[in-house]
Amino acid sequence: MIVCVAVVGHQNNPLYIQSFTEADDALKLHHIVHCSLDVVDERVNNPKKSGPTLNETFLGLLYPTENYKVQYVFFSYGYLTNTKVKFILVTTDLDVRDADVRNFFRRFHAAYVDAVSNPFHVPGKKITSRTFAERVSTIVKSFGLSSAT
């Protein structure tokens, strides 16, 4: 189950963060996203120490964490574009297939490109498009379904 998605700019400025849980989890999920950014920076700045090659945009599992109050374990995955914009996916399910996560990021990236291609969007500013938010919700709802394209 996806609990949060985020788009973070090349200067680690949040461009879009959407949680798909109760409102009281929002701060905790923002914290997980920001901790995941530290892992992204470490992997980008030290490519020899960790798995992905320089041309690989999918960064894989970034940051597993446990929440003892609610008994959830959160797993975050990362994706880095050529322009250093980062996409973060936070899920509660460990048994997520890499193919599903890659497909999610491919679709999420396409939605992002469409949103920032809008002539009224100011580069580097938060994405406020209702169309983008609806498209992201659709992508999240179809996550893990084998018929999703």
Side-chain angles (χ1 to χ4, degrees):
M1 174 178 153
I2 294 177
V3 293
C4 181
V5 295
V7 178
V8 181
H10 67 280
Q11 296 176 339
N12 287 342
N13 53 319
L15 301 176
Y16 181 82
I17 296 180
Q18 176 65 44
S19 62
F20 297 94
T21 63
E22 300 168 6
D24 60 343
D25 288 341
L27 185 60
K28 175 178 34 187
L29 294 170
H30 284 233
H31 174 74
I32 292 170
V33 167
H34 285 285
C35 290
S36 299
L37 291 176
D38 292 338
V39 178
V40 169
D41 288 341
E42 181 180 334
R43 289 189 185 181
V44 169
N45 294 329
N46 301 316
K48 293 179 184 175
K49 289 184 180 178
S50 59
T53 62
L54 293 176
N55 294 331
E56 180 67 42
T57 57
F58 177 63
L59 299 173
L61 181 64
L62 298 175
Y63 184 74
T65 183
E66 291 185 33
N67 180 354
Y68 294 106
K69 283 186 180 177
V70 190
Q71 299 301 322
Y72 281 126
V73 178
F74 295 110
F75 303 94
S76 62
Y77 295 85
Y79 179 92
L80 180 68
T81 68
N82 291 336
T83 58
K84 305 295 185 224
V85 173
K86 301 153 199 88
F87 299 141
I88 306 294
L89 164 69
V90 181
T91 181
T92 56
D93 190 4
L94 177 62
D95 298 327
V96 175
R97 296 182 319 154
D98 272 357
D100 290 337
V101 177
R102 287 175 187 268
N103 184 43
F104 170 84
F105 280 129
R106 181 183 54 78
R107 296 176 67 203
F108 192 34
H109 190 184
Y112 168 78
V113 168
D114 289 345
V116 298
S117 296
N118 181 337
F120 298 107
H121 174 72
V122 178
K125 297 292 182 186
K126 290 190 176 193
I127 300 170
T128 58
S129 166
R130 188 176 335 129
T131 304
F132 177 71
E134 290 169 359
R135 192 165 168 191
V136 169
S137 292
T138 301
I139 295 168
V140 167
K141 287 176 187 170
S142 68
F143 179 73
L145 300 178
S146 60
S147 62
T149 56

